[in-house]
Amino acid sequence: PLATSASGLFASSRAPRAVLGVGASCTEEEVKAAYRELAKQLHPDVNQGCQREEASRQFQELQVAYRSLLDELKNPYRGHGAA
């Protein structure tokens, strides 16, 4: 289920790691590899007909999860009270 956040981006109720199918101790390289593989499958241009709308929704969810997880990996203390 996607919802529009205050920033206008789609937000998922699923955890970014669950969307990408990576573990808690994943590396940036593993995240990028998982994203590329799923993006190939879910890109709306690859899916036709009635599957295209669902693929588009899932692709947007994937993009948000990817950005969120990469940001978390690059800035592990952001949002945890660190200055």
mmCIF file of all heavy atoms in Angstrom, residues 57-78:
data_model
loop_
_atom_site.group_PDB
_atom_site.id
_atom_site.type_symbol
_atom_site.label_atom_id
_atom_site.label_comp_id
_atom_site.label_asym_id
_atom_site.label_seq_id
_atom_site.Cartn_x
_atom_site.Cartn_y
_atom_site.Cartn_z
ATOM 1 N N ARG A 57 3.256 0.925 -9.756
ATOM 2 C CA ARG A 57 3.130 1.160 -8.319
ATOM 3 C C ARG A 57 4.294 0.510 -7.566
ATOM 4 O O ARG A 57 4.924 1.121 -6.722
ATOM 5 C CB ARG A 57 1.808 0.613 -7.801
ATOM 6 C CG ARG A 57 1.565 0.938 -6.318
ATOM 7 C CD ARG A 57 0.432 0.126 -5.727
ATOM 8 N NE ARG A 57 0.721 -1.294 -5.651
ATOM 9 C CZ ARG A 57 1.526 -1.862 -4.746
ATOM 10 N NH1 ARG A 57 2.148 -1.130 -3.870
ATOM 11 N NH2 ARG A 57 1.728 -3.165 -4.732
ATOM 12 N N GLN A 58 4.594 -0.722 -7.929
ATOM 13 C CA GLN A 58 5.690 -1.437 -7.271
ATOM 14 C C GLN A 58 7.039 -0.799 -7.597
ATOM 15 O O GLN A 58 7.926 -0.749 -6.747
ATOM 16 C CB GLN A 58 5.682 -2.903 -7.673
ATOM 17 C CG GLN A 58 4.522 -3.674 -7.083
ATOM 18 C CD GLN A 58 4.500 -5.116 -7.550
ATOM 19 O OE1 GLN A 58 5.148 -5.497 -8.511
ATOM 20 N NE2 GLN A 58 3.741 -5.943 -6.844
ATOM 21 N N PHE A 59 7.193 -0.312 -8.804
ATOM 22 C CA PHE A 59 8.438 0.340 -9.200
ATOM 23 C C PHE A 59 8.648 1.619 -8.395
ATOM 24 O O PHE A 59 9.763 1.904 -7.941
ATOM 25 C CB PHE A 59 8.419 0.639 -10.705
ATOM 26 C CG PHE A 59 9.720 1.157 -11.237
ATOM 27 C CD1 PHE A 59 10.821 0.322 -11.369
ATOM 28 C CD2 PHE A 59 9.850 2.479 -11.620
ATOM 29 C CE1 PHE A 59 12.018 0.804 -11.858
ATOM 30 C CE2 PHE A 59 11.047 2.968 -12.115
ATOM 31 C CZ PHE A 59 12.140 2.123 -12.239
ATOM 32 N N GLN A 60 7.590 2.384 -8.190
ATOM 33 C CA GLN A 60 7.694 3.599 -7.372
ATOM 34 C C GLN A 60 8.053 3.251 -5.930
ATOM 35 O O GLN A 60 8.882 3.915 -5.308
ATOM 36 C CB GLN A 60 6.379 4.383 -7.421
ATOM 37 C CG GLN A 60 6.143 5.029 -8.762
ATOM 38 C CD GLN A 60 4.763 5.662 -8.863
ATOM 39 O OE1 GLN A 60 3.889 5.419 -8.034
ATOM 40 N NE2 GLN A 60 4.568 6.469 -9.879
ATOM 41 N N GLU A 61 7.435 2.211 -5.409
ATOM 42 C CA GLU A 61 7.748 1.742 -4.060
ATOM 43 C C GLU A 61 9.218 1.320 -3.978
ATOM 44 O O GLU A 61 9.910 1.636 -3.004
ATOM 45 C CB GLU A 61 6.837 0.576 -3.697
ATOM 46 C CG GLU A 61 7.075 -0.004 -2.330
ATOM 47 C CD GLU A 61 6.165 -1.175 -2.021
ATOM 48 O OE1 GLU A 61 5.872 -1.986 -2.914
ATOM 49 O OE2 GLU A 61 5.756 -1.284 -0.848
ATOM 50 N N LEU A 62 9.691 0.648 -4.997
ATOM 51 C CA LEU A 62 11.084 0.208 -5.065
ATOM 52 C C LEU A 62 12.033 1.400 -5.059
ATOM 53 O O LEU A 62 13.035 1.406 -4.344
ATOM 54 C CB LEU A 62 11.292 -0.638 -6.324
ATOM 55 C CG LEU A 62 12.719 -1.100 -6.595
ATOM 56 C CD1 LEU A 62 13.194 -2.061 -5.512
ATOM 57 C CD2 LEU A 62 12.791 -1.757 -7.969
ATOM 58 N N GLN A 63 11.729 2.425 -5.830
ATOM 59 C CA GLN A 63 12.588 3.602 -5.902
ATOM 60 C C GLN A 63 12.688 4.307 -4.550
ATOM 61 O O GLN A 63 13.772 4.711 -4.134
ATOM 62 C CB GLN A 63 12.061 4.581 -6.952
ATOM 63 C CG GLN A 63 12.255 4.091 -8.365
ATOM 64 C CD GLN A 63 11.661 5.057 -9.362
ATOM 65 O OE1 GLN A 63 10.522 5.468 -9.237
ATOM 66 N NE2 GLN A 63 12.455 5.417 -10.352
ATOM 67 N N VAL A 64 11.564 4.448 -3.864
ATOM 68 C CA VAL A 64 11.557 5.105 -2.560
ATOM 69 C C VAL A 64 12.359 4.273 -1.557
ATOM 70 O O VAL A 64 13.162 4.804 -0.791
ATOM 71 C CB VAL A 64 10.118 5.348 -2.061
ATOM 72 C CG1 VAL A 64 10.105 5.819 -0.613
ATOM 73 C CG2 VAL A 64 9.425 6.352 -2.958
ATOM 74 N N ALA A 65 12.166 2.965 -1.565
ATOM 75 C CA ALA A 65 12.894 2.080 -0.655
ATOM 76 C C ALA A 65 14.395 2.148 -0.925
ATOM 77 O O ALA A 65 15.197 2.197 0.010
ATOM 78 C CB ALA A 65 12.390 0.649 -0.806
ATOM 79 N N TYR A 66 14.766 2.165 -2.191
ATOM 80 C CA TYR A 66 16.173 2.228 -2.582
ATOM 81 C C TYR A 66 16.822 3.511 -2.072
ATOM 82 O O TYR A 66 17.872 3.475 -1.422
ATOM 83 C CB TYR A 66 16.278 2.128 -4.107
ATOM 84 C CG TYR A 66 17.661 2.306 -4.666
ATOM 85 C CD1 TYR A 66 18.642 1.357 -4.447
ATOM 86 C CD2 TYR A 66 17.979 3.418 -5.433
ATOM 87 C CE1 TYR A 66 19.918 1.510 -4.977
ATOM 88 C CE2 TYR A 66 19.242 3.580 -5.971
ATOM 89 C CZ TYR A 66 20.208 2.621 -5.744
ATOM 90 O OH TYR A 66 21.475 2.783 -6.266
ATOM 91 N N ARG A 67 16.183 4.637 -2.342
ATOM 92 C CA ARG A 67 16.739 5.927 -1.887
ATOM 93 C C ARG A 67 16.833 5.979 -0.367
ATOM 94 O O ARG A 67 17.814 6.450 0.203
ATOM 95 C CB ARG A 67 15.886 7.082 -2.405
ATOM 96 C CG ARG A 67 16.095 7.346 -3.863
ATOM 97 C CD ARG A 67 15.370 8.634 -4.279
ATOM 98 N NE ARG A 67 14.817 8.432 -5.605
ATOM 99 C CZ ARG A 67 13.532 8.440 -5.904
ATOM 100 N NH1 ARG A 67 12.632 8.706 -4.996
ATOM 101 N NH2 ARG A 67 13.129 8.233 -7.131
ATOM 102 N N SER A 68 15.791 5.509 0.292
ATOM 103 C CA SER A 68 15.749 5.527 1.747
ATOM 104 C C SER A 68 16.854 4.666 2.349
ATOM 105 O O SER A 68 17.555 5.085 3.275
ATOM 106 C CB SER A 68 14.381 5.034 2.217
ATOM 107 O OG SER A 68 14.345 4.909 3.610
ATOM 108 N N LEU A 69 17.025 3.472 1.829
ATOM 109 C CA LEU A 69 18.022 2.555 2.374
ATOM 110 C C LEU A 69 19.437 3.035 2.076
ATOM 111 O O LEU A 69 20.309 2.962 2.937
ATOM 112 C CB LEU A 69 17.796 1.140 1.842
ATOM 113 C CG LEU A 69 18.607 0.038 2.514
ATOM 114 C CD1 LEU A 69 18.518 0.090 4.031
ATOM 115 C CD2 LEU A 69 18.136 -1.315 2.001
ATOM 116 N N LEU A 70 19.676 3.549 0.880
ATOM 117 C CA LEU A 70 20.999 4.088 0.580
ATOM 118 C C LEU A 70 21.324 5.258 1.495
ATOM 119 O O LEU A 70 22.448 5.377 1.997
ATOM 120 C CB LEU A 70 21.103 4.533 -0.877
ATOM 121 C CG LEU A 70 21.420 3.468 -1.903
ATOM 122 C CD1 LEU A 70 21.660 4.108 -3.264
ATOM 123 C CD2 LEU A 70 22.614 2.631 -1.512
ATOM 124 N N ASP A 71 20.342 6.119 1.731
ATOM 125 C CA ASP A 71 20.546 7.249 2.629
ATOM 126 C C ASP A 71 20.873 6.754 4.036
ATOM 127 O O ASP A 71 21.768 7.280 4.704
ATOM 128 C CB ASP A 71 19.309 8.142 2.646
ATOM 129 C CG ASP A 71 19.525 9.412 3.442
ATOM 130 O OD1 ASP A 71 20.556 10.080 3.235
ATOM 131 O OD2 ASP A 71 18.659 9.738 4.263
ATOM 132 N N GLU A 72 20.159 5.738 4.472
ATOM 133 C CA GLU A 72 20.403 5.160 5.796
ATOM 134 C C GLU A 72 21.810 4.573 5.896
ATOM 135 O O GLU A 72 22.497 4.739 6.902
ATOM 136 C CB GLU A 72 19.368 4.079 6.083
ATOM 137 C CG GLU A 72 19.524 3.405 7.428
ATOM 138 C CD GLU A 72 18.525 2.280 7.610
ATOM 139 O OE1 GLU A 72 17.353 2.444 7.225
ATOM 140 O OE2 GLU A 72 18.931 1.226 8.138
ATOM 141 N N LEU A 73 22.250 3.885 4.847
ATOM 142 C CA LEU A 73 23.578 3.279 4.861
ATOM 143 C C LEU A 73 24.686 4.326 4.803
ATOM 144 O O LEU A 73 25.733 4.160 5.421
ATOM 145 C CB LEU A 73 23.733 2.294 3.695
ATOM 146 C CG LEU A 73 22.899 1.022 3.804
ATOM 147 C CD1 LEU A 73 22.988 0.219 2.516
ATOM 148 C CD2 LEU A 73 23.320 0.196 4.999
ATOM 149 N N LYS A 74 24.450 5.410 4.082
ATOM 150 C CA LYS A 74 25.461 6.467 3.960
ATOM 151 C C LYS A 74 25.486 7.366 5.187
ATOM 152 O O LYS A 74 26.506 7.959 5.508
ATOM 153 C CB LYS A 74 25.208 7.298 2.699
ATOM 154 C CG LYS A 74 25.499 6.528 1.440
ATOM 155 C CD LYS A 74 25.218 7.360 0.214
ATOM 156 C CE LYS A 74 25.504 6.554 -1.041
ATOM 157 N NZ LYS A 74 25.282 7.327 -2.248
ATOM 158 N N ASN A 75 24.353 7.508 5.865
ATOM 159 C CA ASN A 75 24.229 8.384 7.045
ATOM 160 C C ASN A 75 23.580 7.588 8.178
ATOM 161 O O ASN A 75 22.431 7.846 8.532
ATOM 162 C CB ASN A 75 23.368 9.605 6.710
ATOM 163 C CG ASN A 75 23.907 10.379 5.543
ATOM 164 O OD1 ASN A 75 25.005 10.893 5.602
ATOM 165 N ND2 ASN A 75 23.133 10.438 4.468
ATOM 166 N N PRO A 76 24.301 6.639 8.762
ATOM 167 C CA PRO A 76 23.675 5.739 9.744
ATOM 168 C C PRO A 76 23.176 6.409 11.014
ATOM 169 O O PRO A 76 22.323 5.879 11.698
ATOM 170 C CB PRO A 76 24.784 4.743 10.063
ATOM 171 C CG PRO A 76 26.043 5.415 9.689
ATOM 172 C CD PRO A 76 25.699 6.338 8.551
ATOM 173 N N TYR A 77 23.672 7.606 11.333
ATOM 174 C CA TYR A 77 23.263 8.254 12.570
ATOM 175 C C TYR A 77 22.196 9.312 12.372
ATOM 176 O O TYR A 77 21.707 9.894 13.316
ATOM 177 C CB TYR A 77 24.495 8.865 13.258
ATOM 178 C CG TYR A 77 25.507 7.797 13.575
ATOM 179 C CD1 TYR A 77 26.680 7.711 12.856
ATOM 180 C CD2 TYR A 77 25.246 6.846 14.557
ATOM 181 C CE1 TYR A 77 27.600 6.709 13.124
ATOM 182 C CE2 TYR A 77 26.172 5.844 14.824
ATOM 183 C CZ TYR A 77 27.331 5.792 14.109
ATOM 184 O OH TYR A 77 28.226 4.796 14.364
ATOM 185 N N ARG A 78 21.809 9.553 11.128
ATOM 186 C CA ARG A 78 20.750 10.533 10.847
ATOM 187 C C ARG A 78 19.441 10.031 11.464
ATOM 188 O O ARG A 78 19.069 8.881 11.298
ATOM 189 C CB ARG A 78 20.567 10.716 9.347
ATOM 190 C CG ARG A 78 19.420 11.648 9.026
ATOM 191 C CD ARG A 78 19.192 11.737 7.557
ATOM 192 N NE ARG A 78 19.989 12.874 7.080
ATOM 193 C CZ ARG A 78 20.166 13.134 5.811
ATOM 194 N NH1 ARG A 78 19.644 12.365 4.894
ATOM 195 N NH2 ARG A 78 20.861 14.175 5.443
#
